[in-house]
Structures are given as structure tokens and as C-alpha cells.
Amino acid sequence: MQVCQRHAVTTYGTGRRVLVLAHGYGCDKNMWQRFIPLLADRYRIICYDLMGCGGSDLSYYDRKRYDTLDGHADDLIAILDEMGIQNAVLAGHSVSAMTVALVANKRPDLVESLAMICPSPSFINAGDYVGGFERADIDNLLETLDANYLGWSSEMAPAIMGTPHMPEMGETLSNSFCQADPDIARHFAHVTFLADHRHDVKKVSQETLVLQCRDDVIVPPEVGDWMKTNMTNADLVVLDAMGHCPHISYPAETAAALEAFLSAA
């Protein structure tokens, strides 16, 4: 089976510039549906499902391969190689922001620039670094998730979305969480919340948009400040938006910030 088939790749638009969208934890490529129409007339947009998510071929999910984000980075590299794409703009949401950073470091020929939407190189506080959580907090979160994934999903999704004034947004994320394979979701949660990619983002040389929301229960503002300070070529933009998924709940504002960055780049 071809790589693109395994990852349920879909394309939109016919623009000269290629924009690749990589979804976050508990999601799939459908989470970009409110965002894509805002840019499809100016970019060739590529969406795909991370292995183990959405319409990907779950038979290819290898726990050893995906014990780190390198497996997901290698998947994206394989997709771009199979499609013959170079110099793409890679946009990654949440954990996939770290995946696109790994791709940029491994294969700089494939990457024109990066957009990191609500990224966090490490969720765990360490010394002067503020990730937002103590290690005990993350351990408790993972224990709860391991014990009752569906219950955790129903409770956490609305909090992660962070839009109580738009409850349908929380329902969208909750439904996505609940459709995921529980065993894969539990495994991916450990990879997501225990990883530390601070050294990797420091190596990124491409122009990078770091896009945060002013109020995000998962990623505190200190993370964006750290990335702005420690990355070689990062532009930090804070949206006047709430939650961890602005491409879903605030698609117009997110698309406008991305397009302004790409126009300047």
C-alpha cells in the first residue's frame, strides 16, 4: 500500500505554494475543515491522518516505531517524498508542532517554513522552564486516561477546547476523541505528554510562526515566550482567542495570522 493511502491523504486547492496540515492529539484531518476553505484558493493544501488516527490504516501502527515522535516525522517525510514535494509550509497543531520541527531538522530541503499552532516542546516544568504542569500532574492525567479513556475524553475535551460560549466546539473535539482507538490513544498520550523536544526546536533554522491563544489550559503563555527566545527564527503571535484549538474554534483569525506570516516570509 502506498504511503499516502496509509495516511488517507487528501489535497485541496491548486496554489503554487504547498501548505501541509498536521493535526494534534485525539484528532484527525477533519479537524481542519473550517480552516481549509479560507486558504484553499491560494495554496495547495495537503491534509493527512497521523498513523493510528482517523482514516489511517491502523494495521501499520507499530508501538515501537511510534514510541517517539520520530516515527510520525518519518511518516510525513515519506508522504512528501512520495508526492514529490519540496519547500512546503508545514503547519502542525499541538503535538504535531514538534513533529514538523523534527521534519525541518531531518530534511530541511522539504521545508520552506513552519507554523506551530499552540505548540509545547515540553509540558512539564523543569528549573526555569515553565511547561504548565508538574510531573505528578502529568502522571495523574495519564493514569486517569489509562483507566477510563472515554470518561477522560468526555471530561477533558471541552476544557481543552476552552470555548464554553461555543459548546458545540467542545462536542466536536469530544466526538473525535471518542472515535479514536483507545489503546492507540493511550499510547500516543504517553508519547505526547512525556516528551521533551526543547533541544529539537532550538535546532530549527527555518522561519517559524509560533501561534498561541491568550487563554489556553494546556499551554501557558510562558511557553510561547520561551520559544521566541530560544528559537533561531521564530515569530510569536498571540491570538485574542481562547482554548487550545483555534483552527477549529477561531478559523478566520488563525488563517489570517498564518497568511500574514507567509506573506511576510
Side-chain angles (χ1 to χ4, degrees):
M1 184 183 293
Q2 299 297 306
V3 176
C4 289
Q5 290 178 310
R6 292 202 295 265
H7 290 274
V9 171
T10 54
T11 61
Y12 306 84
T14 57
R16 178 185 60 82
R17 224 167 177 183
V18 176
L19 172 62
V20 181
L21 304 178
H23 65 79
Y25 174 80
C27 299
D28 59 30
K29 65 183 182 182
N30 292 319
M31 296 295 101
W32 299 102
Q33 288 307 306
R34 301 186 73 211
F35 179 84
I36 290 169
L38 302 172
L39 297 172
D41 62 336
R42 297 178 297 285
Y43 299 88
R44 180 186 176 196
I45 300 176
I46 297 171
C47 286
Y48 72 103
D49 285 326
L50 303 186
M51 184 51 64
C53 303
S56 68
D57 188 338
L58 303 189
S59 68
Y60 283 85
Y61 193 84
D62 181 334
R63 293 175 73 92
K64 183 176 180 181
R65 174 181 174 86
Y66 298 108
D67 252 347
T68 70
L69 293 182
D70 284 285
H72 294 288
D74 291 340
D75 286 346
L76 180 49
I77 289 170
I79 290 170
L80 296 175
D81 280 341
E82 184 170 276
M83 298 182 74
I85 292 172
Q86 292 184 317
N87 297 318
V89 178
L90 305 186
H93 170 237
S94 194
V95 64
S96 284
M98 297 303 106
T99 297
V100 299
L102 293 174
V103 173
N105 291 336
K106 290 183 177 203
R107 288 286 303 277
D109 59 302
L110 300 178
V111 183
E112 171 200 315
S113 55
L114 299 177
M116 299 182 172
I117 302 172
C118 300
S120 177
S122 177
F123 291 97
I124 299 174
N125 302 330
D128 294 335
Y129 174 79
V130 178
F133 301 89
E134 297 299 329
R135 174 60 191 258
D137 298 329
I138 295 295
D139 287 342
N140 289 336
L141 180 151
L142 293 174
E143 287 177 9
T144 302
L145 188 152
D146 287 342
N148 183 7
Y149 172 72
L150 293 179
W152 179 91
S153 299
S154 298
E155 180 178 345
M156 285 298 298
I160 291 171
M161 185 60 72
T163 54
H165 58 297
M166 294 185 286
E168 69 277 9
M169 296 291 103
E171 292 173 8
T172 296
L173 188 60
S174 179
N175 290 338
S176 178
F177 278 12
C178 292
Q179 289 171 7
D181 179 284
D183 289 336
I184 292 175
R186 284 190 283 263
H187 180 236
F188 192 26
H190 284 258
V191 175
T192 297
F193 290 109
L194 294 177
D196 185 349
H197 289 283
R198 286 177 290 171
H199 62 293
D200 294 309
V201 297
K202 288 181 179 180
K203 296 177 184 177
V204 173
S205 60
Q206 294 87 345
E207 289 187 271
T208 301
L209 170 65
V210 177
L211 191 60
Q212 282 196 314
C213 294
R214 62 174 170 79
D215 186 3
D216 183 343
V217 70
I218 299 294
V219 181
E222 289 88 347
V223 172
D225 294 335
W226 184 93
M227 295 183 73
K228 171 66 175 176
T229 300
N230 286 274
M231 293 184 70
T232 302
N233 206 3
D235 182 16
L236 173 63
V237 173
V238 180
L239 293 175
D240 185 20
M242 299 171 62
H244 188 62
C245 306
H247 58 300
I248 302 173
S249 50
Y250 299 89
E253 294 85 345
T254 304
L258 176 58
E259 191 146 40
F261 165 75
L262 294 178
S263 296

